């Protein structure tokens, strides 16, 4: 039975719950464990892929975008877990994490994430954000520089010209025509059922008002920016320009729409691993 910081128990959906209260699951042949953690008044759900025992303790933490949950990361998590431990986080109010019952800012999400990293005693993890998750990750790197020195930003939102709600929704719907059916299924259930439209609508202004470009160069973490060449939400020229604001950033374009880690998880895992390898050699 797993032990450690994930074994604290409390009844109800809002408090901590250890991995022994959840059944063990598998994705692409890789086993993972689930736990629930509370940080102040906010609760997150964490999925842990242990990775192979013979591999050195490289750690990845994956942070999802608005409306959805960590489960659209499952194919990528299975690939990354071949080279290290992987932790997937459902941010407060998303996926299996309970509705917090109050407004939660991007800074709140970053603070909860920092609390999780410290409590779990994860040393030098690679923090991977997608879409709105890149905004959370960039805040984390800026405000809590002790928790990570490497970040990956996939499809970083938002391009300045798309910061109106109707423009953003239009681009999201267009991207839906380019995503595989599996992504559609995950997104519809997560948006409407698990997150819920009221909470989603409260979260959207935080994402749209945020100017990540003003802070992306102000943290010291090595940064990899990855974008799909068919992403209508985040144009690659914007993602490439964003990477130039950071003195230690690289930009890589891959084939695919917005949810690139689901359409080609093997290639994305390779880009991330290569980037981390290069940093370890330097």
């Amino acid at each position: 039975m797993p032990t450690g910081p994930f074994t604290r128990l409390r009844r109800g959906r809002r408090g901590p719950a250890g991995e022994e209260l959840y059944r063990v699951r598998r994705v692409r042949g890789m086993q993972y464990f689930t736990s629930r953690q509370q940080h102040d008044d906010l609760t997150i759900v964490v999925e842990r892929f242990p990775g192979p025992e013979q591999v050195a303790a490289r750690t990845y933490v994956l942070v999802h975008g608005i409306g959805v949950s960590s489960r659209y990361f499952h194919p990528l998590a299975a690939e990354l877990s071949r080279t290290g431990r992987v932790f997937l986080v459902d941010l407060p109010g998303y996926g299996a994490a309970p509705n917090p019952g109050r407004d939660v800012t991007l800074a709140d999400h970053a603070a909860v994430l920092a609390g999780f990293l410290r409590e779990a005693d994860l040393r030098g993890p690679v923090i991977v954000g997608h879409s709105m998750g890149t905004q959370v990750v960039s805040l984390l790197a800026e405000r809590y520089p002790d928790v990570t020195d490497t970040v990956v930003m996939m499809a970083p939102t938002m391009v300045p010209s798309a910061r109106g709600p109707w423009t953003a929704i239009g681009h999201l719907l267009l991207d839906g025509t380019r995503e595989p059916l599996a992504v559609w299924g995950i997104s519809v259930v997560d948006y409407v059922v698990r997150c819920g439209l009221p909470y989603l609508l409260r979260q959207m202004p935080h994402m749209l008002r945020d100017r990540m470009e003003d802070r992306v160069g102000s943290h010291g973490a090595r940064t990899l920016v990855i974008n799909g060449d068919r992403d209508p939400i985040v144009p690659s020229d914007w993602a490439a320009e964003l990477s130039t604001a950071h003195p230690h950033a690289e930009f890589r374009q891959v084939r695919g729409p917005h949810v690139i880690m689901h359409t080609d998880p093997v290639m994305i895992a390779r880009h991330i691993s290569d980037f981390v390898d290069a940093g370890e050699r330097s």
Side-chain angles (χ1 to χ4, degrees):
M1 182 178 296
T3 60
F6 306 104
T7 58
R8 297 179 306 159
L9 305 179
R10 188 181 297 173
R11 291 185 177 181
R13 288 190 65 245
R14 302 195 67 85
E19 291 179 347
E20 64 269 32
L21 295 185
Y22 291 84
R23 65 185 178 90
V24 179
R25 299 183 179 181
R26 290 181 178 271
V27 172
R28 296 192 173 195
M30 307 304 288
Q31 183 174 257
Y32 70 92
F33 303 87
T34 306
S35 64
R36 194 171 64 238
Q37 301 184 34
Q38 187 171 354
H39 300 270
D40 295 326
D41 66 327
L42 299 175
T43 303
I44 61 173
V45 170
V46 178
E47 294 176 349
R48 177 178 66 91
F49 287 69
E53 293 181 1
Q54 68 271 22
V55 174
R58 176 178 293 177
T59 302
Y60 304 95
V61 178
L62 279 51
V63 185
H64 61 80
I66 192 169
V68 290
S69 68
S70 61
R71 63 188 183 138
Y72 75 166
F73 273 125
H74 280 170
L76 177 60
E79 291 299 324
L80 289 174
S81 68
R82 303 180 193 280
T83 62
R85 300 181 299 170
V86 183
F87 294 85
L88 278 62
V89 178
D90 277 354
L91 295 171
Y94 292 98
N99 189 317
R102 68 168 176 87
D103 189 34
V104 181
T105 66
L106 295 175
D108 290 332
H109 287 307
V112 169
L113 188 58
F116 157 66
L117 295 172
R118 288 169 174 163
E119 183 174 333
D121 196 26
L122 301 183
R123 306 296 178 88
V126 180
I127 312 296
V128 182
H130 174 259
S131 197
M132 187 194 78
T134 64
Q135 296 170 275
V136 175
V137 165
S138 68
L139 275 168
L140 177 81
E142 179 190 47
R143 298 188 179 189
Y144 309 95
D146 61 300
V147 300
T148 183
D149 59 3
T150 306
V151 300
V152 178
M153 303 198 303
M154 298 188 295
T157 50
M158 293 286 298
V159 58
S161 62
R163 286 177 180 158
W166 295 113
T167 302
I169 291 170
H171 289 173
L172 177 65
L173 293 175
L174 177 58
D175 180 69
T177 67
R178 304 177 182 182
E179 299 287 357
L181 288 177
V183 172
W184 256 104
I186 291 171
S187 299
V188 169
V189 173
D190 280 352
Y191 273 95
V192 178
V193 179
R194 304 180 85 202
C195 173
L197 293 179
Y199 186 68
L200 174 63
L201 292 176
R202 290 197 301 270
Q203 289 280 282
M204 184 174 287
H206 297 302
M207 181 184 72
L208 295 178
R209 288 196 299 261
D210 183 56
R211 294 178 54 86
M212 183 168 59
E213 66 272 20
D214 291 343
R215 66 171 178 274
V216 73
S218 63
H219 62 77
R222 292 183 67 245
T223 301
L224 173 64
V225 180
I226 311 177
N227 208 67
D229 63 351
R230 300 182 64 245
D231 186 344
I233 298 173
V234 184
S236 284
D237 57 353
W238 153 252
E241 180 182 348
L242 190 67
S243 71
T244 64
H246 193 286
H248 306 293
E250 293 183 21
F251 171 73
R252 301 183 187 183
Q253 180 175 272
V254 298
R255 298 182 63 183
H258 191 60
V259 191
I260 47 177
M261 69 284 189
H262 201 284
T263 52
D264 195 349
V266 174
M267 180 59 69
I268 296 299
R270 187 177 306 159
H271 278 296
I272 294 173
S273 295
D274 289 348
F275 179 74
V276 176
D277 288 341
E280 292 175 348
R281 290 193 299 266
S282 63

